[in-house]
């Protein structure tokens, strides 16, 4: 019976783990694009326009990471 309980716990994280992985990839893509853009066009407006999508994606990324943490955190 304890093995069934572990299988249920691990299976319940499948969707959360996949969503976290997808948001991680999105965050890396946006952050990498922002870095590349700023390296090639070092202007203040490049920094600002890169920060906006990065903050947007970061919000959802950290929301998914929070779902992976235990209840006391």
């Amino acid at each position: 019976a304890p093995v069934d309980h572990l299988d249920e716990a691990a299976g319940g994280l499948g969707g959360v783990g996949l969503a976290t992985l997808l948001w991680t990839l999105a965050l890396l893509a946006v952050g990498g694009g922002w870095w590349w853009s700023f390296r090639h066009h070092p202007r203040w407006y490049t920094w600002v326009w890169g920060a906006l999508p990065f903050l947007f994606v970061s919000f959802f990324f950290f929301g998914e990471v929070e779902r992976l943490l235990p209840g006391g955190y």
Side-chain angles (χ1 to χ4, degrees):
V3 174
D4 293 334
H5 178 68
L6 291 175
D7 289 341
E8 288 176 11
L13 292 177
V16 174
L18 179 61
T20 305
L21 176 64
L22 292 175
W23 282 111
T24 301
L25 294 175
L27 188 67
L28 289 172
V30 169
W34 184 23
W35 173 83
W36 182 88
S37 179
F38 191 72
R39 289 280 289 173
H40 289 82
H41 307 285
R43 307 277 189 267
W44 67 269
Y45 52 83
T46 307
W47 193 90
V48 171
W49 287 112
L52 296 175
F54 188 79
L55 290 173
F56 178 79
V57 174
S58 294
F59 176 79
F60 291 102
F61 167 74
F62 285 112
E64 290 298 324
V65 168
E66 180 184 15
R67 293 176 61 191
L68 289 175
L69 295 173
Y73 285 95

